[in-house]
């Protein structure tokens, strides 16, 4: 897929002009094209999102599945042309309503979940991990459909560190949401 317009540096202002079905993130001004997710990826996303949604119903935190624009480093007063990083995590949980606007989330979500696929594995494990760490995401899950595991990383004030690894038969604790657990047997149903 070709980019809607060839440029040396992209911003969130460019994203706002693209078609809604375009799957493009921008990282430090560089456009990163994303392949459509697989059926299994989507089933896993729905299973996690639905459990989070049910837990959060009536609470202040909200869950958002992709596509959902997260401008990790946007500051108050910045115009879309000033924002050069926008990612679309597979699942985001935001507890601070002031971070939400009509475009998505401005700043770090409390929880980010990325579901690996062969084309995104390096990107999710290295590039996005670094971005989420710098932005101060409190909890980051990397879900691996192949080996049916979930790596949970928590921010310790300086970096995201591996906290726990769960497998298919486990019940995974969501550390940033008091009393929230995800039944992985429902996530990895196949």
């Amino acid at each position: 897929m070709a980019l809607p317009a060839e440029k040396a540096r992209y911003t969130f202002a460019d994203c706002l002009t693209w078609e809604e079905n375009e799957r493009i993130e921008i990282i430090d001004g560089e456009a990163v094209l994303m392949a459509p997710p697989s059926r299994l990826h989507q089933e896993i996303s729905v299973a996690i999102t639905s459990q989070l949604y049910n837990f959060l119903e009536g609470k202040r935190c909200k869950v958002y599945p992709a596509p959902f624009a997260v401008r990790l480093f946007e500051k108050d007063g910045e115009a879309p042309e000033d924002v050069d990083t926008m990612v679309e995590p597979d699942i985001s949980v935001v507890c601070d309503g002031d971070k939400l606007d009509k475009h998505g989330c401005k700043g770090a979500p409390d929880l980010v979940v990325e579901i690996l696929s062969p084309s995104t594995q390096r990107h999710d494990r290295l590039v996005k991990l670094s971005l989420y760490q710098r932005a101060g995401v409190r909890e980051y899950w990397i879900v691996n459909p192949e080996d049916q595991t979930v790596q949970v990383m928590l921010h310790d004030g300086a970096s995201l560190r591996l906290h726990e690894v769960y497998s298919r038969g486990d019940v995974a604790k969501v550390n940033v949401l008091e009393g929230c657990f995800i039944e992985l047997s429902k996530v990895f149903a196949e």
Side-chain angles (χ1 to χ4, degrees):
M1 168 170 67
L3 288 173
E6 295 294 329
K7 293 176 75 169
R9 180 179 176 273
Y10 292 91
T11 68
F12 188 58
D14 295 307
C15 296
L16 296 174
T17 68
W18 297 338
E19 296 293 322
E20 282 190 28
N21 63 350
E22 299 286 352
R23 296 202 32 133
I24 305 170
E25 295 180 325
I26 51 169
I27 298 174
D28 296 324
E30 182 180 327
V32 178
L33 300 170
M34 298 164 37
S38 69
R39 177 192 57 81
L40 179 59
H41 177 286
Q42 292 301 84
E43 287 177 4
I44 289 170
S45 178
V46 167
I48 294 172
T49 300
S50 64
Q51 290 185 59
L52 287 167
Y53 179 84
N54 289 337
F55 176 81
L56 293 172
E57 193 170 358
K59 297 180 174 77
R60 70 179 174 93
C61 299
K62 303 291 181 208
V63 61
Y64 299 94
F68 181 68
V70 175
R71 289 111 54 213
L72 291 166
F73 307 107
E74 183 176 331
K75 295 172 183 56
D76 283 335
E78 280 191 313
E81 355 354 287
D82 300 325
V83 178
D84 69 357
T85 298
M86 186 280 300
V87 293
E88 290 189 347
D90 290 318
I91 303 169
S92 302
V93 172
V94 181
C95 295
D96 181 354
D98 290 340
K99 290 183 177 182
L100 299 171
D101 64 15
K102 68 180 182 176
H103 300 299
C105 180
K106 179 176 59 176
D110 295 271
L111 169 67
V112 168
V113 177
E114 293 288 3
I115 302 162
L116 298 180
S117 65
S119 66
T120 66
Q121 205 160 140
R122 182 184 177 284
H123 187 66
D124 292 340
R125 289 188 185 276
L126 299 174
V127 176
K128 283 190 163 180
L129 171 62
S130 175
L131 289 172
Y132 297 150
Q133 185 169 274
R134 281 187 6 226
V137 170
R138 294 171 48 209
E139 186 166 352
Y140 179 37
W141 286 24
I142 297 177
V143 179
N144 189 334
E146 268 188 39
D147 64 11
Q148 297 188 333
T149 60
V150 175
Q151 289 181 308
V152 176
M153 294 177 215
L154 298 179
H155 208 288
D156 64 7
S159 62
L160 282 163
R161 300 213 183 271
L162 184 62
H163 176 72
E164 189 74 61
V165 178
Y166 295 103
S167 59
R168 184 177 190 272
D170 294 331
V171 175
K173 179 181 181 183
V174 181
N175 296 275
V176 297
L177 299 173
E178 178 95 24
C180 184
F181 298 89
I182 302 297
E183 293 180 60
L184 296 182
S185 61
K186 293 180 178 178
V187 172
F188 302 116
E190 286 190 0

